[in-house]
Amino acid sequence: MTTIRFLTAQPPGSVLGAEPDMTESAEAYRATGGYDGATGPDELLRHLDASGLRGRGGAGFPAAVKLRAVREGGGGPVVVANGEEGEPGSVKDRWLLRARPHLVLDGLFRAAAVTGAVRGYVYLSDPEAGARVLRALAEREPPLPIEVVETDHTYVAGEETAVVRRIDGGPALPTAKPPRPFERGVGGAPTLVSNVETLARIALTAARPGLRQRIARSTLVTLSGGTGAPLLTEVPYGVPLRTLAAAHGTPDAAGALMGGLFGGLIGAQGLDLSLEPGALTAAGTALGCGAIRFLAADTCPVTAAAEAVGHLAAESARQCGVCVTGTAAVHDALRALAAGTAGPDTVGNLARWSRGLPGRGACGLLDAAAGTAGSLLRAFPEVLPSHLGAACPACAADSPAGGHGRLAVAVPEVTDAPLTAPR
């Protein structure tokens, strides 16, 4: 079971809110300052600029820049709350839509006011979340037409061009860029595709502009793997990864798989890094969607890499030939290393693919596979020689089954009984 808790005292302006295990009603949300019209669109945009709020969907793009680009695009903009999280180790977005749908909708309405949008969408694949969003919309009439669009849950379905394609009636598959959605998106209109946590932080900034820095510099993280139970928590930037490992129940972690499957592997020394996007990027990894999977002390990183790339290979949209063949080749090489059947050129091939494959697919899936392989070579060079020509006992004991299963984290339980007032 995935638990929800703060690691320290709950700070004001928290996305987790006072009752993270209950669905919040419109009445309860308004009682804490939600839907307050005191902060106008232009003022809100200035606050977002000043706070430096970045998107929480994975790319970390500045929220104010994205909002401004859509507003300046003209042509009846569209806003989309993107709640489809394809990373198997992330649960924050589905939890937000189940527990705090009004916070997300408030952020969506405010984004619409900033951009001048004429219609909006909530995009998701979780039926339970969809039902609670529909109920929230019935509790408070939206200021513009809002439609809930469901899709199948896949790794690529939340990519912004796949979101646009699905809302327009097509399959949830990425398209070539440019144009990007802010240029031409749903129905050909400039479109803001914004992660639901980003929208939640926009709403919190509007309600509590004096806390804008704290709101922008805190983030939801999903911690899993290792020897602890999965944990969803909210932490400020700057917390050492080692502190998160201990809080999760894996104090002796041998490393971690960062950013869902996009940040690659880091070794034990990497756990001294701070949870801060700039510091992580400079170290060659990434915060991504905030999903961190710790490696237990007895876990072989080769197995962890093979499992991650196996998931990516299975989730390929199969639109780009280089993605199909590239992810399969990387996965086969990592499985051979884990089994002790790798040839003398395997490590060299992985190094070459990690440099040459990124950027060649329509989305980031191929980049994630290549990056995972490259990060294994950088973070754990000492383990590779023992995998050439001999089976690794730790890999044999772990035996990943195709990359599916163990990477997935269950959404925390949220009682389907809306509060009528804060308790």
Side-chain angles (χ1 to χ4, degrees):
M1 172 184 286
T2 303
T3 59
I4 314 173
R5 63 182 170 87
F6 283 100
L7 304 187
T8 58
Q10 180 181 357
S14 161
V15 167
L16 284 184
E19 300 284 350
D21 60 344
M22 302 281 287
T23 300
E24 188 175 45
S25 69
E27 181 183 350
Y29 181 60
R30 280 193 295 264
T32 60
Y35 294 128
D36 190 314
T39 304
D42 291 339
E43 183 185 0
L44 175 58
L45 192 56
R46 288 194 295 271
H47 285 305
L48 296 175
D49 257 327
S51 72
L53 176 67
R54 291 181 174 270
R56 295 300 196 271
F61 196 77
V65 173
K66 203 170 184 180
L67 285 161
R68 192 172 286 110
V70 174
R71 181 171 71 171
E72 294 173 353
V78 174
V79 289
V80 180
N82 185 4
E84 166 50 19
E85 51 189 346
E87 295 285 3
S90 180
V91 297
K92 67 182 182 70
D93 296 339
R94 283 167 288 172
W95 170 82
L96 261 172
L97 291 170
R98 292 184 185 188
R100 305 208 68 189
H102 286 287
L103 179 64
V104 174
L105 290 172
D106 192 2
L108 185 65
F109 301 159
R110 293 181 187 276
V114 170
T115 60
V118 296
R119 66 188 190 281
Y121 298 86
V122 180
Y123 178 83
L124 47 79
S125 64
D126 177 17
E128 188 172 337
R132 299 188 195 189
V133 170
L134 287 171
R135 184 173 63 198
L137 287 168
E139 287 182 316
R140 184 192 187 278
E141 185 176 354
L144 74 166
I146 300 291
E147 181 181 344
V148 176
V149 176
E150 277 199 39
T151 189
D152 292 332
H153 179 64
T154 68
Y155 188 82
V156 301
E159 195 272 342
E160 63 176 4
T161 62
V163 172
V164 169
R165 196 173 178 184
R166 173 69 185 89
I167 291 174
D168 275 341
L173 298 174
T175 59
K177 299 172 282 290
R180 292 188 175 275
F182 76 86
E183 298 168 309
R184 188 165 70 248
V186 175
T191 300
L192 176 79
V193 179
S194 188
N195 172 261
V196 293
E197 185 188 349
T198 311
L199 293 171
R201 295 192 181 278
I202 288 173
L204 288 172
T205 301
R208 301 171 177 83
L211 298 178
R212 66 191 187 192
Q213 291 294 338
R214 177 180 293 169
I215 293 165
R217 294 188 58 78
S218 297
T219 196
L220 294 176
V221 291
T222 309
L223 310 178
S224 64
T227 53
L231 171 66
L232 175 65
T233 188
E234 186 174 7
V235 296
Y237 288 165
V239 174
L241 296 177
R242 197 173 300 280
T243 299
L244 295 182
H248 167 256
T250 313
D252 58 347
L257 183 63
M258 296 292 297
L261 304 181
F262 196 79
L265 289 161
I266 59 171
Q269 288 185 330
L271 296 176
D272 292 325
L273 290 167
S274 295
L275 187 84
E276 198 282 322
L280 294 174
T281 300
T285 183
L287 176 60
C289 63
I292 302 173
R293 184 174 181 82
F294 293 109
L295 306 184
D298 59 352
T299 297
C300 180
V302 173
T303 299
E307 191 169 24
V309 177
H311 182 88
L312 291 166
E315 288 288 312
S316 170
R318 310 194 74 80
Q319 292 188 128
C320 308
V322 68
C323 180
V324 175
T325 59
T327 54
V330 173
H331 185 218
D332 288 346
L334 291 171
R335 284 198 304 172
L337 279 174
T341 59
D345 57 348
T346 298
V347 173
N349 285 338
L350 287 171
R352 178 166 53 85
W353 293 330
S354 71
R355 295 189 301 268
L357 290 178
R360 296 181 61 188
C363 67
L365 187 146
L366 179 60
D367 295 21
T372 299
S375 68
L376 172 68
L377 305 185
R378 291 191 303 272
F380 297 97
E382 73 282 358
V383 308
L384 299 176
S386 64
H387 287 74
L388 297 175
C392 165
C395 287
D398 217 6
S399 184
H404 280 81
R406 292 185 303 178
L407 295 174
V409 175
V411 183
E413 290 187 11
V414 178
T415 302
D416 188 12
L419 298 172
T420 57
R423 291 194 293 184

